[in-house]
Amino acid sequence: MTAYLSVDGGRIAYEVTGDGPLVVLAPGMGESRSAYRFVVPQLVAAGYRVAATDLRGTGESSVGWPSYSRTDIAGDLVALIRHLGGPAVLAGHSISGGAATIAAATAPELITAVVELAPFTRKQSISLGDLRVKRYRQGMTRLLGAGMFGSVRQWLGYLDVAFPGQRPADWAEQLARTEARLREPGRMTVLRKMGQSSPADAGAQLGNVRRPVLVVEGTLDPDWADPRAEGEAIVAALPEGLGTLAMIDGAGHYPHTQYPDQLMALMLPFVAEAVRA
């Protein structure tokens, strides 16, 4: 059942399932909490209370927020964890991976551990060599089209690149849900503003994190020419010994939706260890 939390003049939609230690799941831009539809049941079966949340302006949350930075999203996530009686293991995808970093650095008493899925956590730069990688070039072109022109068609085209190879059984339904959501008033504006926000605020907090971090990258993620190098750079910027990088072979930008079983094989032992500590 959908619940709502009032934050910063808006409403955040979320849903809680199961009992046990708290795990909070935050999606990326353009997505909703349904992105974790294959992950939630496995976490609940493993004995966790799972809160899957929409971000400000996405899913069933309200639109019209003053800004959509990673710092803003981190504040929302901290407020939700506090409301639910944390601490929690916090998992964030893409823009929410950066937000999870900020939450862990600024509210360590509420964060047990962090899972960053294909995270945008560092300031990005593009080299001419990167553009030689076809999937990166295709993904970047479609992201730019979605961001510059507010094109839902370009965003759906980006998803086509971001899910290489294996796709969920409900792929057609997923695309239909995404398109319908982004055509709601104000939703595409939110996506554009999130896409324009810099990850620099998250990168600045990497050295302040004091909780264990699992970074998960897909080997075919079109958002980076070299996803492994991006993950290694995030781990290197964390305090020594806190970060672990795991790669999922064949995954694109959405490992939690594309390869949930492989993700759970990585995430469940990490979460269990963090909860025991």
Side-chain angles (χ1 to χ4, degrees):
M1 180 182 296
T2 303
Y4 296 91
L5 177 68
S6 295
V7 183
D8 198 19
R11 295 200 312 166
I12 298 292
Y14 67 95
E15 189 171 357
V16 180
T17 313
D19 296 293
L22 181 62
V23 178
V24 173
L25 307 174
M29 72 179 196
E31 285 296 321
S32 71
R33 64 185 188 273
S34 68
Y36 290 103
R37 61 194 178 277
F38 305 124
V39 169
V40 170
Q42 296 194 51
L43 286 168
V44 170
Y48 297 101
R49 180 167 60 117
V50 184
T53 184
D54 295 330
L55 305 185
R56 53 172 58 196
T58 73
E60 295 181 86
S61 295
S62 61
V63 296
W65 301 72
S67 62
Y68 299 89
S69 71
R70 286 155 183 78
T71 298
D72 295 324
I73 295 169
D76 299 340
L77 294 173
V78 168
L80 177 61
I81 293 169
R82 184 175 286 114
H83 173 72
L84 294 175
V89 174
L90 176 58
H93 170 239
S94 199
I95 190 172
S96 291
T101 295
I102 297 170
T106 57
E109 73 282 3
L110 291 174
I111 310 296
T112 305
V114 174
V115 180
E116 299 197 15
L117 306 171
F120 273 94
T121 307
R122 301 185 320 123
K123 185 177 180 181
Q124 301 295 298
S125 61
I126 301 174
S127 71
L128 290 177
D130 292 342
L131 297 176
R132 297 191 185 99
V133 180
K134 182 179 179 181
R135 59 176 166 72
Y136 177 75
R137 190 170 63 248
Q138 289 179 327
M140 180 63 64
T141 299
R142 296 174 193 193
L143 280 175
L144 287 173
M148 291 178 64
F149 306 112
S151 169
V152 174
R153 183 179 64 83
Q154 286 290 320
W155 179 256
L156 296 177
Y158 162 73
L159 292 179
D160 189 57
V161 179
F163 280 83
Q166 176 176 303
R167 289 173 175 174
D170 62 350
W171 175 245
E173 292 88 347
Q174 176 182 335
L175 290 182
R177 285 193 302 267
T178 299
E179 180 173 8
R181 189 164 52 242
L182 290 178
R183 293 196 185 281
E184 293 174 0
R187 299 297 186 192
M188 198 62 195
T189 298
V190 172
L191 185 147
R192 295 176 74 183
K193 289 183 176 180
M194 284 186 177
Q196 293 162 3
S197 67
S198 169
D201 55 348
Q205 292 287 2
L206 279 166
N208 298 323
V209 173
R210 295 295 180 267
R211 297 290 181 261
V213 179
L214 173 64
V215 179
V216 180
E217 301 277 6
T219 60
L220 298 181
D221 192 330
D223 285 39
W224 294 279
D226 188 344
R228 179 181 291 276
E230 179 64 23
E232 289 174 344
I234 293 170
V235 170
L238 290 163
E240 186 174 357
L242 282 189
T244 302
L245 171 64
M247 304 296 298
I248 296 182
D249 189 45
H253 193 58
Y254 297 83
H256 49 303
T257 310
Q258 192 179 11
Y259 288 98
D261 293 343
Q262 288 88 330
L263 174 62
M264 285 295 95
L266 298 166
M267 187 172 167
L268 284 175
F270 174 79
V271 173
E273 179 64 25
V275 170
R276 282 196 300 266

